[in-house]
Amino acid sequence: MASIASATCARCPRCLHTFTISIAEFASRDSEARGPARSGVQTKPQARAIFHDLTLPAALAALRQSSNASETLSHSSLTPPPLSESVSGLGTDEESVFRVGVPELPPIPGFRIEGVIGHGGMGSVYLARQLSLDRQVALKVMSRTWISDPVFVARFIREAYAAALLSHPNVVQIYDIGEVDDTRYFSMEYVAGQSLLEVVKERGRLEPDIAVGYILQAARGLKHAHDRGIIHRDIKPDNLLLDEHGTVKVADLGLVKTPDLTRFQDRLYEGPPEGDSGLHTLPQDMTGVRMALGTPAYMAPEQCRDASAVDHRADIYSLGCTLYALVTGQQPFAAKSAVGLMKKHAYEPLVPPDELVPRLPKELSAVIQKMMAKLPADRFGSMNEVVRTLENWLGVKSAGRFIPREDQIAEVETFAAQFRNTPAAITRQRIVSGFVSGCALAAVLLAFFGHTTWAFGCGGLVVQSALAYFVLNGWTRKTHLSRRVRLFVRGLSGGDWVVALGAFGLFAAFLWMSQLLGVWAGFGSIGLAAAVALWYGLDRKLDAERFSTLQESAQLVRRLQINGVIGEEIRIFFAKYSGRYWEEYFEVVFGYEAKLATRSQLLRGGSAGVREKFAAWREPLVQLLNHFETVRKKTRERELLALTECERLVASGVPKRIARDRAEQLAEALVDHASAIRSAETMHSPALSLHAPNLRALLAQKSLGMATPDESMTRDTLGTAVDWLVGPSVRIVLSALLLAACFGWVLQNDLIRFSAREAALVETTPLRVEIFPESWTSWCDTANVGWGGLLLLTSLFYRGQRSAALAILGAGIAVCGHKLGIRTVEPIRDYHVAMMLGTVLALVGFRLGRR
């Protein structure tokens, strides 16, 4: 590359004054430069010092006004090298190698940093392990350069939050958005594999059917995003990641181009215009800013002129460029400068790929040329048309109509039978069934002959054996339920731990007072030994026997994916032909959540016949744990959104008190809107674009516009007071108090030794505690006290002031209502009526609350 030194006049986008931009000479050291920045336009360090705070698109626009700058500006990220020399990334546009010299990362709770994936203008991307779920994630940490701009941070957080709602097997999932010590981060799915660029570098140009299979998967992921109003605008082989199972995932959806949005630009933005093409837009009235954003080697002609006005057809063009590169081994156009490359995309005729690769089918060449038509109107009308065209070319029928061959059916049937009928699996089933049945029979016989203590010990043996095995199996195999339990435990607050330890202490006290603690501990040690013996004696042998079967199953899944079969149809195919006891095999191959989703489709209409469930006892527990985590995640999201929006409003001149209230309301609205979108996703099939929720609506809230300083908003003082009086902490304390008092009352009246009939006839006395006056504990005189504590515990699963208030009122009536002079007729007692009235009130509160 020739060195350049040029100067030109430019107009500042902030103050509109004219000044001169000088670009110092810089030598050709492209091979030493780091990978492309997320904006797709990256300057050398020497040039950055001269540009100062001028936005790169505006500076490039100014340079284009110069007579000699349009063809002399060069950079490694703008000049398309041969495809084999490009740099790729793992889930991002940064280099996919572990680097040194990136900013030091402060500790982020819940994550353990394992390495650095890359570093760019947006920030750094780290390979981390999420401790709660014991999985690897890509952790993107925003640079402090951007964190110092509250307007940009609020905008980016909202856009990333919208993109995180995308859920598709061919899209890299954004898991969570968080903040700690002024550090904003995003945890994303980590794809342990290669980008398609690396695949081509390693293998050379791909066979047409393999290349089309990869692009078909990417098209399905993009269709999912397009149906929800999100345009990628930076499709290229670097951003299409291939995992170890053969699944292609589109990376950087919803996380592109935002660094080019300055505070000044954002203040001119007043909501998505009618012609908006995606989340990351620029104000249309800014001279010199409506420039090309993306990677020029794969950029649609209209995107070269105005990235803010493109629609979904720009992604179709870029995807066509990517398919062109995969089947030919080179980029569609080559030039020495970004502007020259853009001109070729806009005006130079495309060399048909079948001329470069004579054996390439002309039908596929025609499809690529149509995807890369210069005019958007000449391309496919939607990504759905692209998907159907590629499916037809591969011979794959539309989703829902996949018909497997006989040899494929025989493979699945054989794999499922081998999985179930290994010698270790049969032996294990017999041992577990015999152990549980023997303990149950022993408990019944011991209780029948009056040895209730030993009968209780046999029951405890089963329970403690199961708990010990669950811990051991979950720690080694990382089962779905163990991951959810670990996530729940790591999310417990200090108050939660106090309650949990208190409950454990109450249970231990119950065992000690009942003279059962020694028996429980003794049988528990036997149960622990049994769990260890089962794992080391049989489970490891079972895993070894099943390994080859599972490996062959994974290879079959990979072949089907490469051939273009949609993932949902692959799962239905496996479930349909895995036999009556299909669930355990299916769960190991595809996962627990995929099993639940497939079960609902498989059993629809009853055509699948009789099917048995595997370990169905886990499902209520998983649902409960998922509910807890959903509530926690909403709380974290609400707090983060409120914080960033408050900082944005304060930066725009709104008084802090008003900004805080306004931000809290906006955050609540955004979270509720996101919940509605998630519900819509579960109610409607993703294939039905008619019902697809538009995620851009999250950006169209009226509150996005800047609030004026003279706006006034009074704080909801009454609501805050009610929250303090009936909040979860208050209900937890009251519940623990009621349950402890009821337990003490039961022990004081020696009700444990009575049968149910005798306990109903015995005369009881109110609870007495020596250190308190009798009047303080006289209200605890019936089992209603414990029932009231259970009502309050149940109320913790519901949100809302009315729900909490009615639950507390219902618990109070259940506990003390019989002292209010209720008249009854035998055999109904006054405390029976109080219990029923209190329960009804609590149930009404549960109905009014939100789960």
Side-chain angles (χ1 to χ4, degrees):
M1 178 191 301
S3 301
I4 65 170
S6 61
T8 186
C9 293
R11 186 182 298 273
C12 176
R14 300 190 182 184
C15 63
L16 301 182
H17 288 149
T18 301
F19 59 95
T20 299
I21 300 178
S22 296
I23 301 182
E25 287 193 28
F26 49 87
S28 176
R29 290 192 294 267
D30 294 341
S31 60
E32 299 175 6
R34 60 184 175 88
R38 189 166 300 282
S39 65
V41 181
Q42 178 184 350
T43 63
K44 289 288 186 180
Q46 296 94 322
R48 277 200 205 103
I50 299 172
F51 281 135
H52 294 293
D53 60 348
L54 182 62
T55 62
L56 294 179
L60 183 57
L63 289 174
R64 293 183 65 188
Q65 297 172 6
S66 175
S67 59
N68 59 355
S70 61
E71 292 295 340
T72 56
L73 178 64
S74 301
H75 184 263
S76 60
S77 68
L78 304 180
T79 303
L83 191 62
S84 61
E85 297 179 5
S86 300
V87 181
S88 65
L90 285 176
T92 67
D93 285 335
E94 288 80 6
E95 293 180 29
S96 62
V97 294
F98 290 92
R99 298 172 51 96
V100 295
V102 295
E104 184 178 353
L105 180 65
I108 297 181
F111 297 92
R112 184 177 68 244
I113 304 302
E114 298 182 343
V116 180
I117 295 177
H119 179 63
M122 174 62 198
S124 301
V125 183
Y126 297 85
L127 176 62
R129 180 164 296 278
Q130 186 178 357
L131 300 178
S132 56
L133 293 177
D134 193 26
R135 66 180 176 188
Q136 284 186 319
V137 298
L139 198 65
K140 179 182 284 288
V141 179
M142 186 184 297
S143 170
R144 292 194 175 273
T145 302
W146 300 110
I147 290 177
S148 61
D149 187 339
V151 177
F152 165 75
V153 170
R155 175 73 177 271
F156 187 84
I157 290 291
R158 184 185 294 199
E159 293 173 346
Y161 181 56
L165 298 177
L166 289 174
S167 180
H168 191 273
N170 296 120
V171 173
V172 172
Q173 178 69 45
I174 301 174
Y175 293 135
D176 202 2
I177 305 172
E179 185 268 342
V180 56
D181 296 334
D182 293 329
T183 299
R184 265 71 174 192
Y185 64 89
F186 315 95
S187 63
M188 299 178 291
E189 178 183 3
Y190 174 71
V191 182
Q194 297 176 301
S195 70
L196 292 188
L197 181 61
E198 292 170 324
V199 172
V200 176
K201 287 168 56 180
E202 181 180 311
R203 308 179 192 173
R205 64 171 180 254
L206 304 180
E207 291 297 322
D209 55 341
I210 295 178
V212 172
Y214 289 154
I215 295 301
L216 174 58
Q217 294 187 60
R220 287 168 176 159
L222 289 171
K223 175 187 176 298
H224 177 81
H226 289 180
D227 289 343
R228 287 146 186 82
I230 294 183
I231 313 300
H232 194 293
R233 297 191 299 173
D234 196 18
I235 296 298
K236 55 184 177 181
D238 307 59
N239 282 337
L240 302 182
L241 310 180
L242 181 67
D243 69 9
E244 65 272 21
H245 303 297
T247 303
V248 173
K249 295 179 179 290
V250 181
D252 274 355
L253 255 171
L255 292 180
V256 293
K257 302 304 162 288
T258 302
D260 286 331
L261 191 70
T262 66
R263 178 187 302 195
F264 177 73
Q265 294 164 353
D266 189 67
R267 284 177 177 169
L268 294 180
Y269 181 80
E270 296 181 354
E274 290 296 326
D276 192 327
S277 62
L279 294 181
H280 306 290
T281 59
L282 296 175
Q284 297 190 8
D285 57 348
M286 286 208 55
T287 303
V289 174
R290 297 173 62 186
M291 271 296 299
L293 298 175
T295 303
Y298 300 91
M299 190 184 299
E302 67 273 18
Q303 189 173 347
C304 296
R305 293 184 289 267
D306 183 2
S308 66
V310 300
D311 59 15
H312 58 277
R313 291 171 294 185
D315 281 351
I316 294 177
Y317 183 93
S318 299
L319 193 64
C321 291
T322 302
L323 180 54
Y324 188 105
L326 296 184
V327 298
T328 65
Q330 65 185 55
Q331 296 168 352
F333 300 101
K336 295 183 178 180
S337 67
V339 176
L341 192 57
M342 294 175 185
K343 285 183 177 180
K344 289 191 174 185
H345 275 283
Y347 304 113
E348 184 173 299
L350 177 71
V351 177
D354 59 318
E355 292 186 9
L356 299 176
V357 184
R359 288 177 295 178
L360 187 71
K362 291 188 177 298
E363 297 82 2
L364 179 58
S365 179
V367 171
I368 296 175
Q369 292 178 72
K370 185 173 182 179
M371 294 175 69
M372 294 182 61
K374 303 295 184 184
L375 298 177
D378 294 335
R379 300 173 203 151
F380 291 98
S382 67
M383 195 61 74
N384 190 40
E385 291 185 25
V386 176
V387 170
R388 289 201 305 267
T389 301
L390 297 180
E391 285 178 342
N392 291 336
W393 191 86
L394 285 173
V396 179
K397 295 187 177 181
S398 300
R401 299 178 57 189
F402 167 64
I403 302 177
R405 302 191 307 268
E406 285 298 326
D407 61 319
Q408 294 172 334
I409 295 174
E411 279 189 278
V412 172
E413 291 176 340
T414 302
F415 295 155
Q418 290 175 348
F419 180 89
R420 289 192 301 267
N421 298 325
T422 57
I426 297 174
T427 303
R428 182 183 184 281
Q429 183 178 3
R430 291 174 179 173
I431 290 177
V432 172
S433 300
F435 176 77
V436 175
S437 301
C439 289
L441 179 61
V444 171
L445 292 177
L446 288 170
F448 180 80
F449 288 105
H451 301 287
T452 55
T453 300
W454 293 102
F456 180 82
C458 288
L461 175 61
V462 175
V463 173
Q464 293 178 90
S465 299
L467 289 175
Y469 180 78
F470 169 77
V471 173
L472 182 61
N473 188 54
W475 182 266
T476 54
R477 287 179 171 171
K478 308 296 187 297
T479 62
H480 182 80
L481 180 57
S482 68
R483 290 173 183 264
R484 306 312 298 178
V485 171
R486 188 179 304 161
L487 183 63
F488 170 76
V489 171
R490 284 189 173 273
L492 293 177
S493 63
D496 296 332
W497 278 109
V498 170
V499 173
L501 292 176
F504 180 80
L506 288 174
F507 180 70
F510 168 78
L511 293 177
W512 179 70
M513 293 180 180
S514 304
Q515 299 180 348
L516 296 173
L517 184 60
V519 175
W520 185 270
F523 276 92
S525 60
I526 298 175
L528 176 60
V532 173
L534 178 63
W535 167 250
Y536 282 98
L538 278 178
D539 282 10
R540 293 195 301 172
K541 182 179 179 181
L542 178 63
D543 291 342
E545 291 178 353
R546 288 174 169 176
F547 178 77
S548 60
T549 300
L550 295 176
Q551 192 175 35
E552 292 174 357
S553 301
Q555 292 173 354
L556 176 58
V557 172
R558 184 183 181 90
R559 291 198 301 270
L560 293 173
Q561 288 179 327
I562 292 177
N563 290 334
V565 183
I566 193 170
E568 181 181 351
E569 289 305 308
I570 295 175
R571 292 189 290 271
I572 289 291
F573 161 53
F574 267 74
K576 185 176 181 180
Y577 294 103
S578 295
R580 178 173 180 174
Y581 301 93
W582 65 282
E583 288 202 355
E584 183 181 9
Y585 167 66
F586 187 95
E587 183 177 332
V588 174
V589 176
F590 295 100
Y592 176 84
E593 293 178 340
K595 181 194 74 174
L596 296 184
T598 305
R599 180 201 291 167
S600 62
Q601 301 179 55
L602 180 68
L603 301 181
R604 191 178 301 159
S607 60
V610 179
R611 298 297 179 110
E612 301 294 336
K613 294 183 178 180
F614 171 71
W617 57 269
R618 298 173 299 169
E619 296 174 19
L621 293 177
V622 171
Q623 291 178 356
L624 181 62
L625 294 173
N626 286 343
H627 166 71
F628 280 127
E629 182 55 28
T630 299
V631 172
R632 288 175 182 170
K633 188 174 182 180
K634 286 183 178 180
T635 302
R636 292 195 304 268
E637 292 170 347
R638 189 181 299 107
E639 291 175 351
L640 178 60
L641 289 168
L643 175 63
T644 55
E645 292 292 339
C646 180
E647 292 175 350
R648 176 181 67 85
L649 292 172
V650 170
S652 66
V654 179
K656 188 172 183 179
R657 181 178 61 83
I658 298 176
R660 182 173 57 248
D661 294 335
R662 187 180 184 87
E664 289 176 355
Q665 289 191 351
L666 175 59
E668 182 72 24
L670 289 173
V671 171
D672 289 344
H673 196 166
S675 299
I677 289 175
R678 291 189 179 104
S679 299
E681 290 281 11
T682 57
M683 293 175 60
H684 304 291
S685 171
L688 300 178
S689 59
L690 177 65
H691 300 290
N694 194 325
L695 302 183
R696 281 169 48 204
L698 283 179
L699 301 182
Q701 298 282 349
K702 292 182 179 179
S703 297
L704 183 63
M706 295 298 172
T708 56
D710 58 348
E711 292 182 13
S712 60
M713 180 183 296
T714 58
R715 291 183 59 83
D716 187 7
T717 306
L718 178 61
T720 302
V722 173
D723 283 337
W724 186 84
L725 291 174
V726 301
S729 300
V730 174
R731 282 175 283 158
I732 288 175
V733 172
L734 290 177
S735 174
L737 175 63
L738 293 179
L739 291 175
C742 182
F743 181 67
W745 174 77
V746 169
L747 292 179
Q748 176 181 298
N749 288 276
D750 204 19
L751 297 180
I752 296 178
R753 299 184 182 180
F754 291 104
S755 65
R757 180 176 179 82
E758 291 172 338
L761 299 177
V762 71
E763 291 292 334
T764 60
T765 59
L767 177 65
R768 295 288 185 269
V769 180
E770 295 181 359
I771 60 175
F772 297 125
E774 293 185 4
S775 59
W776 287 22
T777 58
S778 60
W779 51 271
C780 184
D781 56 356
T782 65
N784 286 17
V785 176
W787 182 250
L790 294 177
L791 291 177
L792 290 178
L793 274 181
T794 306
S795 72
L796 298 175
F797 296 98
Y798 299 87
R799 291 194 301 121
Q801 293 179 346
R802 291 179 298 178
S803 175
L806 286 175
I808 292 178
L809 180 60
I813 291 178
V815 172
C816 302
H818 62 286
K819 297 182 177 294
L820 302 178
I822 298 176
R823 296 184 179 182
T824 60
V825 178
E826 292 292 341
I828 303 299
R829 302 290 182 90
D830 51 2
Y831 55 85
H832 293 155
V833 177
M835 177 182 290
M836 289 186 289
L837 289 176
T839 303
V840 169
L841 278 175
L843 291 177
V844 172
F846 301 159
R847 181 66 181 84
L848 296 176
R850 292 174 292 173
R851 292 186 66 85

